[in-house]
Structure formats: structure tokens, C-alpha cells
């Protein structure tokens, strides 16, 4: 073996990449996923629509030889009609994480800033680091509410990324406060509606009104398709056209486009399972409160709860030892809480027995 003394100890990476830790996904046990009750990454406990199963058995094997539609027009049409918009208002992503990355690459230059809340989805600051941008983190107020002077605090940012309902708290923000943000913030407002199908309302009505608003959605949670990787963004045509230039040419594969179209056809099934999850969520929240937990009101498919002794790390370890995975985010804003995905009634009962 030869070695090159000039390159041995040198880092080839950009300094921003050397300096960053990288996004830490929740645990995804691959060997014995059935060994755990998995309440840690907000997956849906129910299977996706039967239409997806039917579709999978009808896929022509030979089709895999060919590239997919680069922009996924058939799926864009389905999504547009679902939201009473036009296909030109839709861009597809390899999961909504891809949409978030496309947005940061599209709108934020090196040394410019993104703004986000704290706590919020921990991928936003990571995307900003990869881009070589700065992240203005704005702490939430009392009870995880929107802070005062939000717009002033974010003023220098090119894009404001905000999940609604919020991850990881599950709480929502008043729709008028978000509308106010969209009308008065001078940059892009990206509203991440990953959990909107479990909530009472959403911001899709803003698309027609605001030229600076992007809404991202995913089929990972409500449609039970986390393994398929499909998300999308809605915005006015000008924003979509620009983001089309930034995305990978074939960012959504053929199978995913087909599977997503089938799943979206079955709105009745979506309503059924999201309603079921909302019911179980209510039961879980009530039961945890009876046990002395402090629990945030949730509009998502998970609950954010603090045990009576405030020792969230201990609770996480205890449940893992007993076969239940939940999520724990150490740190000043979140360290007293755990995030628990709403599972089936049986899974929820098992969880409550252990507490
Ligand atoms: C799960 C999640 C996403 C990512 O969804 P994918 O489509 O699976 O990439 C985006 N934003 C938030 C807030 C999420 O919780």
C-alpha cells in the first residue's frame, strides 16, 4: 500500500461540514423491528390503503428499466386536485425532508440566515449548516407558544421554517398569527405541515394569497408510507418553477410516484385511520394526565409529555428495557419531556401499564 503524506491527516471537507454534527434520526432497529413497540418516530401503526397493495401487485416489471417522469406530472395532478390547486402549484420530494433541503438550497446563500423556532424540527438548523448559512433560533414562549416580536427577531432571515402542528410538542399555533407572519415577514415562510392531517385546520388557503408561502406535506405519517419516501410542497407557480431548477433531476422514483398516487386516491381510508389515531391520542393524553404527567395539547400523531419526576431520560431507558421505544431529546428546552407516538389501542395500553 502506498500512502500520500500530504493528505494523510488533512480533512477534505468544507469547514462547515467538519464543524457540524449532522442530523440524528430516531432509532430504526432493522434486525428485530417486531421486538419493539415502536413509538419513537411518529410512524402510523396502521397499514397504508389497500389500493397501495393492489397497485404493487400490478406493477409491470419491465417498467423499472426506464427513468421516471422527472417532475411526476400524474401525481402532481392528483395532489393539486386534492387541495383545489393547479399542478403548477406542486413540486414533489423524496420525502418532505427533500423538499426542505430544496428550499434551503433555493433561497439561502452562504452566510445568509434561516430562522426557526426552538424547539422545532431539528433538521432545519442542520440544513442551514450544510448550506454554510446561519440559523436564527427563536425560543418559544411560555407553554410553547409563539414568542412576542417574532417577525422582528427573524427580520434578517431569508426563510422562516416553522412546523405546524409543532414537532416535537404537537401543539398548534393560532392560524391568524401565522397569517400575520406570512403578510409581514419579508422572506419566504415555509410552513411544514407534516402532521396537518391529524389537526383541526391547515394553512393551504394561504397559497393563493401569499407569493412568499410554501407549505410542505408528507405521506410518511398520515398515509402510512414512511418507507416509500414521498413528500411535496405547495406554492405559487413562480416559487415552484424556481425550486424545480434546484431539485435532483429524478428525485422521486417510479415506484414511489405510483404508490403515492394510489394512496392519495383513498381519502376515505385516510379519514378513517386519522380519526382512529385522534381518538387514541385523546385517551393517551387523559391517561397520562391522570398519572401526573404534564402533557401538551396535541394536534399531531404524538404527544409531548413530562413525567411527574421530570426525569425523561430515565423514563426513556426504562421503556426501552421493556420493549417500547419512545423519543427523548436532551437539552434545555426539551430535556424534561419525552415524545410518544400514538400507536394502536393495544400498544397504548401496554405503554400505560408500564408507567
Ligand atoms: C417527519 C417529519 C418530516 C419528514 O417527513 P419525510 O417526508 O418522511 O421526510 C418533516 N417535518 C417534520 C416536522 C416531521 O416531523
Amino acid at each position: 500500500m502506498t500512502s500520500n503524506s500530504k493528505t494523510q491527516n488533512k480533512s477534505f471537507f468544507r469547514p462547515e461540514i467538519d464543524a457540524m454534527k449532522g442530523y440524528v434520526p430516531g432509532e430504526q432497529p432493522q434486525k428485530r423491528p417486531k421486538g419493539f413497540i415502536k413509538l419513537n418516530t411518529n410512524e402510523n401503526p396502521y397499514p397504508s390503503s389497500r389500493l397501495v397493495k393492489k397497485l404493487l401487485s400490478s406493477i409491470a416489471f419491465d417498467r423499472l428499466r426506464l427513468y421516471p417522469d422527472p417532475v411526476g406530472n400524474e401525481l402532481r395532478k392528483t395532489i393539486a386536485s386534492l387541495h383545489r390547486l393547479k399542478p403548477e402549484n406542486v413540486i414533489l420530494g423524496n420525502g418532505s425532508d427533500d423538499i426542505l433541503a430544496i428550499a434551503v438550497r433555493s433561497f439561502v446563500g452562504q452566510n445568509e440566515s434561516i430562522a426557526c423556532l426552538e424547539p422545532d424540527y431539528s433538521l432545519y438548523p442542520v440544513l442551514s449548516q450544510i448550506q454554510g448559512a446561519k440559523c436564527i433560533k427563536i425560543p418559544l414562549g411560555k407553554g410553547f407558544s409563539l414568542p412576542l416580536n417574532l417577525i422582528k427577531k427573524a427580520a434578517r432571515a431569508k426563510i422562516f421554517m416553522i412546523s405546524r402542528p409543532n414537532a416535537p410538542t404537537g401543539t398548534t399555533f393560532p392560524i391568524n398569527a401565522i397569517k400575520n407572519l406570512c403578510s409581514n415577514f419579508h422572506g419566504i415562510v415555509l410552513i411544514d405541515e407534516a402532521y396537518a392531517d391529524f389537526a383541526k385546520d391547515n394553512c393551504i388557503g394561504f397559497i393563493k394569497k401569499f407569493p412568499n408561502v410554501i407549505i410542505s406535506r408528507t405521506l410518511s405519517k398520515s398515509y402510512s408510507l414512511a418507507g416509500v419516501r414521498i413528500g411535496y410542497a405547495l406554492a405559487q407557480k413562480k416559487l415552484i418553477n424556481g425550486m424545480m431548477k434546484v431539485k435532483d433531476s429524478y428525485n422521486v422514483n417510479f415506484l414511489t410516484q405510483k404508490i403515492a398516487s394510489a394512496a392519495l386516491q383513498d381519502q376515505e381510508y385516510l379519514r378513517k385511520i386519522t380519526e382512529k389515531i385522534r381518538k387514541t391520542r385523546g385517551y393517551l393524553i387523559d391517561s397520562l394526565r391522570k398519572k401526573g404527567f404534564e402533557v401538551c395539547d396535541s394536534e399531531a400523531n404524538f404527544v409531548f409529555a413530562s413525567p411527574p419526576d421530570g426525569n425523561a431520560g430515565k423514563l426513556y431507558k426504562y421503556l426501552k428495557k421493556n420493549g417500547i421505544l419512545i423519543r427523548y431529546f436532551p437539552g434545555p428546552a426539551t430535556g424534561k419531556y419525552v415524545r410518544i407516538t400514538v400507536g394502536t389501542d393495544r400498544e397504548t395500553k401496554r405503554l400505560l401499564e408500564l408507567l
Side-chain angles (χ1 to χ4, degrees):
M1 251 229 256
T2 56
S3 74
N4 180 340
S5 62
K6 289 197 186 99
T7 55
Q8 207 146 50
N9 292 314
K10 139 178 163 186
S11 168
F12 293 98
F13 288 93
R14 291 158 43 214
E16 298 91 305
I17 305 300
D18 273 329
M20 64 182 279
K21 284 211 189 81
Y23 178 72
V24 184
E27 295 159 271
Q28 307 294 356
Q30 297 297 316
K31 272 205 174 139
R32 288 185 300 121
K34 291 232 164 94
F36 281 107
I37 294 180
K38 203 168 169 302
L39 305 178
N40 66 332
T41 49
N42 300 342
E43 288 134 324
N44 197 309
Y46 304 108
S48 58
S49 161
R50 287 166 163 277
L51 297 188
V52 172
K53 203 165 184 187
K54 210 168 120 194
L55 178 266
L56 278 175
S57 59
S58 77
I59 296 270
F61 175 64
D62 186 54
R63 180 61 184 79
L64 301 183
R65 221 165 36 79
L66 304 174
Y67 280 105
D69 178 345
V71 297
N73 274 326
E74 188 192 315
L75 179 52
R76 286 171 87 201
K77 256 192 245 166
T78 306
I79 292 166
S81 74
L82 178 67
H83 299 302
R84 301 200 175 84
L85 293 164
K86 295 192 180 136
E88 67 193 32
N89 300 124
V90 183
I91 181 172
L92 307 179
N94 183 34
S96 65
D97 285 352
D98 185 30
I99 293 292
L100 303 174
I102 292 168
V104 171
R105 293 209 300 272
S106 299
F107 303 108
V108 193
Q110 252 190 17
N111 299 318
E112 293 184 325
S113 307
I114 81 160
C116 61
L117 300 169
E118 194 170 44
D120 204 334
Y121 188 30
S122 61
L123 182 65
Y124 308 150
V126 173
L127 292 173
S128 140
Q129 287 172 318
I130 295 172
Q131 187 69 359
K134 298 186 187 88
C135 186
I136 303 168
K137 290 184 188 167
I138 306 170
L140 286 177
K142 221 177 151 208
F144 301 117
S145 61
L146 282 179
L148 292 174
N149 299 322
L150 184 62
I151 295 165
K152 211 165 134 196
K153 286 172 183 156
R156 283 183 301 111
K158 300 294 296 286
I159 182 169
F160 200 123
M161 303 178 90
I162 176 170
S163 63
R164 181 182 186 273
N166 177 273
T169 67
T171 52
T172 194
F173 302 119
I175 198 154
N176 280 330
I178 305 298
K179 196 181 251 173
N180 187 38
L181 174 65
C182 297
S183 12
N184 293 304
F185 182 64
H186 67 98
I188 297 282
V189 180
L190 190 152
I191 308 168
D192 181 344
E193 291 196 338
Y195 300 100
D197 288 324
F198 304 101
K200 287 195 201 87
D201 63 5
N202 62 61
C203 297
I204 284 182
F206 293 7
I207 296 297
K208 286 199 173 127
K209 198 161 174 211
F210 296 111
N212 61 331
V213 169
I214 299 171
I215 292 181
S216 72
R217 289 282 182 108
T218 175
L219 276 71
S220 293
K221 280 67 182 237
S222 53
Y223 288 89
S224 242
L225 289 175
V228 167
R229 310 307 303 133
I230 180 71
Y232 57 89
L234 307 170
Q236 290 189 6
K237 182 178 169 182
K238 216 164 138 187
L239 293 184
I240 297 294
N241 285 349
M243 289 194 288
M244 285 286 187
K245 296 191 278 187
V246 174
K247 75 173 188 70
D248 289 349
S249 324
Y250 299 104
N251 64 329
V252 179
N253 72 70
F254 167 77
L255 289 173
T256 292
Q257 291 186 28
K258 288 286 181 199
I259 291 170
S261 293
L264 288 164
Q265 303 300 333
D266 202 346
Q267 288 298 306
E268 199 187 317
Y269 182 68
L270 174 78
R271 270 191 294 277
K272 206 174 109 186
I273 58 173
T274 50
E275 186 49 38
K276 177 74 195 144
I277 288 167
R278 273 193 286 250
K279 273 208 184 114
T280 311
R281 178 180 75 196
Y283 167 72
L284 174 60
I285 293 175
D286 289 348
S287 311
L288 287 172
R289 283 182 180 154
K290 274 184 204 144
K291 288 177 191 290
F293 281 65
E294 184 212 318
V295 190
C296 298
D297 288 325
S298 173
E299 295 262 320
N301 70 335
F302 57 85
V303 304
F304 200 54
S306 179
D309 67 355
N311 197 337
K314 193 177 98 194
L315 177 63
Y316 160 80
K317 278 189 210 135
Y318 162 75
L319 287 174
K320 185 168 179 181
K321 222 171 66 194
N322 285 280
I324 299 186
L325 287 179
I326 60 171
R327 195 84 189 263
Y328 164 57
F329 305 95
T334 51
K336 284 195 160 68
Y337 291 80
V338 291
R339 193 193 67 190
I340 307 172
T341 305
V342 178
T344 61
D345 288 340
R346 230 197 59 209
E347 290 169 335
T348 306
K349 279 192 185 122
R350 174 70 189 138
L351 168 81
L352 292 166
E353 273 164 25
L354 283 170
L355 295 176

